[in-house]
Amino acid sequence: MRIALAQIITGRDLAANLQQLEDYARQAKDGGAGLVVFPEATMRAFGNSLSDIAEDVDGPWAARVRRIAADLGIVIVAGMFTPGRAADGSSNGKVRNTLLATGPGVEASYDKIHLFDAFGFAESDTVDPGTAPVTFDAGGLTFGLATCYDIRFPALFTANAARGALVNIVSASWGAGPGKVDQWQLLARARAVDTTTFVLACGQGDPATQGVEPKGAAPTGVGHSMVVSPFGEVLSSLEGAPGLLFADLDPAVVEEARKKLPVLANRRDF
């Protein structure tokens, strides 16, 4: 299956962000991709209010993404924000950091489980955590979903693999700082080897490449999206600027990796 990663830089304006999504999805389709991954916070960039734009996955923003995917005949994975809920189902003023996966034969959503309370940022102040892994099938492959800080927690990726995932998608808006790009690259490769899956690590591009310096502690992206093989090899990658990359995923490569490196079969639970 041919896939694409769309490394974009989103802002406050929902319509402008949707236009970017449509433009890149069209380019991905024209390049032969059956699935295109967008970053975390595609709906609206961090550093802006979120509760005022959060909507359910059957709301108007998601419906527009769904229509773009249907019109192009491509699966789209993109980060949005959905309303947080109290125990009684009422709104609690927070949001959930959600990945929407939609397209021909696909309809799924994943709420980020591990919230980014690190490096001076407290995502849990405004975001409710998800509770369960999510996978979906497309193009003869099973994909697992993860978001940004999730990449530091191997158990989620192993859980996805246990549910049949041959590919793990990580959509991110990675925070900048000393050593952070190195960590992102290391973690993506490690999660691939941990689980003998392809890892599609798609991040927001670095605003500094467009002359925009970040303000405050909000994680606004560093770029360096990449496709990693089940053996931990970086097959394709970008630098900090916006761009689109393609890769062809062959399930036989996962099968080969799992024969040579049966970490899932050898795994022990404690």
Side-chain angles (χ1 to χ4, degrees):
M1 182 184 190
R2 189 162 176 79
I3 61 88
L5 305 187
Q7 181 171 288
I8 62 174
I9 299 174
T10 57
R12 182 178 176 81
D13 189 278
L14 272 63
N17 296 335
L18 265 175
Q19 188 60 58
Q20 279 200 80
L21 181 146
E22 183 171 4
D23 292 345
Y24 273 81
R26 191 172 302 279
Q27 292 175 52
K29 180 65 176 181
D30 289 346
L35 177 147
V36 57
V37 181
F38 288 87
E40 176 186 25
T42 295
M43 187 182 196
R44 173 176 278 179
F46 287 116
N48 298 286
S49 60
L50 301 177
S51 59
D52 60 320
I53 55 94
E55 63 177 54
D56 291 326
V57 293
D58 59 356
W61 193 89
R64 179 60 185 150
V65 176
R66 200 168 285 116
R67 175 62 63 86
I68 293 167
D71 289 348
L72 293 175
I74 192 171
V75 176
I76 294 175
V77 178
M80 63 177 294
F81 299 100
T82 55
R85 300 292 183 194
D88 63 2
S90 63
S91 173
N92 63 4
K94 292 187 176 184
V95 302
R96 292 204 172 196
N97 189 341
T98 300
L99 281 182
L100 174 69
T102 187
V106 174
E107 193 60 47
S109 62
Y110 163 75
D111 295 328
K112 183 180 183 181
I113 292 173
H114 303 97
L115 301 184
F116 183 59
D117 289 357
F119 292 101
F121 190 77
E123 189 175 17
S124 63
D125 284 349
T126 57
V127 178
D128 277 341
T131 58
V134 172
T135 61
F136 67 89
D137 296 330
L141 298 169
T142 300
F143 294 81
L145 292 171
T147 303
C148 204
Y149 194 50
D150 280 334
I151 201 172
R152 295 185 182 273
F153 300 88
L156 175 59
F157 292 75
T158 303
N160 288 341
R163 288 163 170 76
L166 304 184
V167 186
N168 272 299
I169 292 171
V170 190
S171 291
S173 186
W174 199 252
K180 292 296 296 297
V181 170
D182 287 342
Q183 292 174 34
W184 167 248
Q185 294 168 329
L186 170 67
L187 290 162
R189 297 180 68 190
R191 297 297 81 84
V193 176
D194 288 344
T195 56
T196 48
T197 60
F198 288 101
V199 169
L200 312 183
C202 183
Q204 289 265 352
D206 185 351
T209 64
Q210 309 303 301
V212 178
E213 292 300 324
K215 296 178 182 180
T220 52
V222 296
H224 293 272
S225 299
M226 72 198 89
V227 177
V228 186
S229 83
F231 291 105
E233 177 188 5
V234 177
L235 301 177
S236 185
S237 63
L238 297 171
E239 297 294 325
L244 187 68
L245 66 80
F246 293 88
D248 295 302
L249 307 184
D250 183 352
V253 176
V254 178
E255 182 180 358
E256 177 190 2
R258 291 180 177 178
K259 285 180 179 178
K260 292 182 176 178
L261 186 66
V263 290
L264 295 175
N266 294 341
R267 179 170 57 93
R268 297 292 180 266
D269 295 320
F270 297 97

